[in-house]
Amino acid sequence: MEYFDFIDETIIEQTNDNSQLNDMLNQLNIKNVYIIKKIKNKKDLEKQIDVPKLKNINCKPIYLFEDLEQINKIKNNIIMAQGNTPNDILKLVNNKNIDFIYNPIGKQPIFDEGCAKLAKINGKKIVFSINELLENPYVAIKQWNFIIKLLKKNKVDMIFISDAKNTNELIDMKIVSYFLLNFKLDENIINRFLNKTIIEKWEYA
């Protein structure tokens, strides 16, 4: 199976030779790569995403908004947004301009069943960052378990990304698929959420 991944734009800045990144992604059978550009303020919109040209791998930009007031200024691109409070998440699941909700994990739970139901109604996809999980495993795994149960119950689409900031943080998605079995997800569902075609279908829906 061919996979996809979302990686931070810093990985491009830190990799002088794109051939190394290219080789690693090919070894991991990652064929669609989305470069995350974080938008924290208006000035960030003025900076272009450096999308590398890689052999046999499709690269596209994806915008991660932390400043929600800037969302309407980006057109015809994949939009992801992050919230830090329950109220933030409620706004995100109701915002028609947002495609993905990024890693709704906080020091305290910020995602509940009401959010899951609205995510289903409004066609939102929930993104889980494996890099964030590894940085704070105790809090993240506990909340992952709770949120995934809600998403599964309400049939909300979810995806799992490395969110790598350097080449050492790139992850073998086969390992991720085994790890996700711990959350009582069916193997066929896991394969669907990791397959590169799922993002392609959403892009052109």
Side-chain angles (χ1 to χ4, degrees):
M1 183 169 72
E2 294 181 336
Y3 302 100
F4 71 91
D5 200 3
F6 291 10
I7 62 176
D8 195 275
E9 64 176 341
T10 56
I11 200 171
I12 307 301
E13 297 168 359
Q14 295 174 9
T15 308
N16 295 324
D17 183 5
N18 283 338
S19 64
Q20 179 191 9
L21 177 62
N22 206 137
D23 289 344
M24 292 188 70
L25 291 170
N26 274 310
Q27 287 171 15
L28 295 171
N29 212 24
I30 296 172
K31 299 301 181 182
N32 284 1
V33 174
Y34 299 83
I35 312 298
I36 300 171
K37 170 71 175 179
K38 293 181 179 177
I39 306 297
K40 298 180 180 179
N41 52 55
K42 186 176 180 180
K43 288 184 177 180
D44 287 335
L45 288 171
E46 299 170 1
K47 305 172 186 175
Q48 295 294 319
I49 296 182
D50 183 12
V51 179
K53 293 182 179 179
L54 302 176
K55 186 177 181 181
N56 299 322
I57 297 172
N58 296 316
C59 282
K60 293 185 178 181
I62 180 168
Y63 292 85
L64 172 55
F65 283 85
E66 296 178 14
D67 181 355
L68 302 184
E69 292 183 2
Q70 308 302 322
I71 286 178
N72 295 332
K73 297 177 183 178
I74 292 288
K75 304 295 182 182
N76 301 319
N77 280 283
I78 309 170
I79 303 298
M80 186 163 59
Q82 180 176 17
N84 297 309
T85 67
N87 191 48
D88 286 345
I89 299 300
L90 191 60
K91 289 179 181 178
L92 299 185
V93 293
N94 283 302
N95 191 312
K96 64 180 181 179
N97 296 309
I98 295 171
D99 304 299
F100 300 98
I101 296 172
Y102 173 86
N103 212 51
I105 308 294
K107 292 181 180 179
Q108 300 295 326
I110 60 175
F111 193 97
D112 59 20
E113 182 149 16
C115 292
K117 289 180 178 178
L118 286 169
K120 177 61 179 178
I121 291 169
N122 295 324
K124 306 305 179 191
K125 292 83 178 174
I126 310 303
V127 178
F128 291 95
S129 166
I130 296 167
N131 188 48
E132 293 286 336
L133 179 144
L134 294 174
E135 288 181 2
N136 194 0
Y138 177 76
V139 172
I141 288 179
K142 189 175 181 180
Q143 291 192 40
W144 272 40
N145 191 51
F146 175 70
I147 294 170
I148 288 173
K149 283 180 182 177
L150 293 179
L151 300 180
K152 182 180 176 182
K153 177 182 176 181
N154 290 280
K155 298 181 180 180
V156 178
D157 285 323
M158 61 192 98
I159 61 172
F160 302 85
I161 64 171
S162 73
D163 202 10
K165 296 175 177 60
N166 58 67
T167 53
N168 292 327
E169 292 179 351
L170 291 170
I171 296 173
D172 187 337
M173 290 300 171
K174 290 180 183 177
I175 295 175
V176 174
S177 68
Y178 294 130
F179 171 68
L180 292 177
L181 291 172
N182 293 305
F183 296 93
K184 298 181 180 179
L185 290 171
D186 182 85
E187 187 174 348
N188 291 330
I189 295 294
I190 292 171
N191 288 337
R192 175 173 172 265
F193 290 150
L194 296 179
N195 195 306
K196 73 171 187 126
T197 59
I198 193 167
I199 307 292
E200 294 172 348
K201 289 176 181 176
W202 290 336
E203 280 188 77
Y204 299 108

